[in-house]
Amino acid sequence: MTDALPDGHAPDGHAEQLRSEQDRVWIEAAIRLARENIPAGGGPFGALIVKDGEIVARGANRVTRDNDPTAHAEVQAIRQAGRALNDFNLSGAVLYSSCEPCPMCLAAALWSRLDRVVYAADRHDAAAAGFDDSEFYELLDTDRDTWTLPRVQVLRPSDAADPFELWNHTADRVEY
């Protein structure tokens, strides 16, 4: 059974709709995590990773509780899934999040090779609650030369690429 999202269309204008009633079950579990996290001192975000119909990881936002700006629910779940599956490649798994992943979390989902990201609330809902990431979305749409964050590359020609050379010559390395 395929259900459309409550507003009748899929996130970001894509044609994809929720694939099954199971998506709704997992989303409800992620929302429950978000609710339970608030009295525990965390932010109102929850995420889980499902593979082969089983939850392999859960994550709740710990940014303010732990004073860690990277401790978003999605990143926490991805870290836990990597440990649980003993693999950084999460192909075959789906991230369910109570809210649309921010740019950092979306990048983490891409790096982890997740098959899909399914979410409930969107970035506008988060902004209305005081979690406004619009400046980051806007920044990523601009030329890097206009960014206010200084980014300086220091070249050391003799050894700048040494770590990559070492990586390429290591026989037991893993492929990304």
Side-chain angles (χ1 to χ4, degrees), residues 12-138:
D12 297 330
H14 294 309
E16 184 173 327
Q17 298 175 329
L18 290 175
R19 294 186 179 196
S20 69
E21 187 57 33
Q22 196 60 49
D23 280 344
R24 195 172 303 279
V25 169
W26 299 130
I27 280 293
E28 289 172 359
I31 293 169
R32 254 190 325 278
L33 277 172
R35 283 189 195 119
E36 293 167 358
N37 194 46
I38 297 166
F45 302 93
L48 47 94
I49 294 181
V50 175
K51 186 170 184 174
D52 299 325
E54 299 287 327
I55 296 174
V56 296
R58 291 174 176 82
N61 183 285
R62 300 285 193 235
V63 171
T64 55
R65 192 195 80 174
D66 296 351
N67 293 315
D68 179 352
T70 68
H72 290 206
E74 299 89 344
V75 172
Q76 300 286 75
I78 289 168
R79 289 173 179 161
Q80 188 182 93
R83 288 188 299 270
L85 297 172
N86 197 33
D87 198 340
F88 64 86
N89 185 329
L90 302 180
S91 295
V94 177
L95 169 66
Y96 291 91
S97 180
S98 64
C99 188
E100 178 179 5
C102 72
M104 176 183 70
C105 294
L106 185 56
L110 290 166
W111 270 107
S112 62
R113 311 303 198 262
L114 289 161
D115 283 6
R116 282 192 307 145
V117 174
V118 180
Y119 59 89
D122 67 17
R123 67 179 88 169
H124 306 292
D125 298 316
F131 299 92
D132 190 356
D133 294 338
S134 61
E135 70 180 275
F136 303 125
Y137 288 101
E138 292 167 8

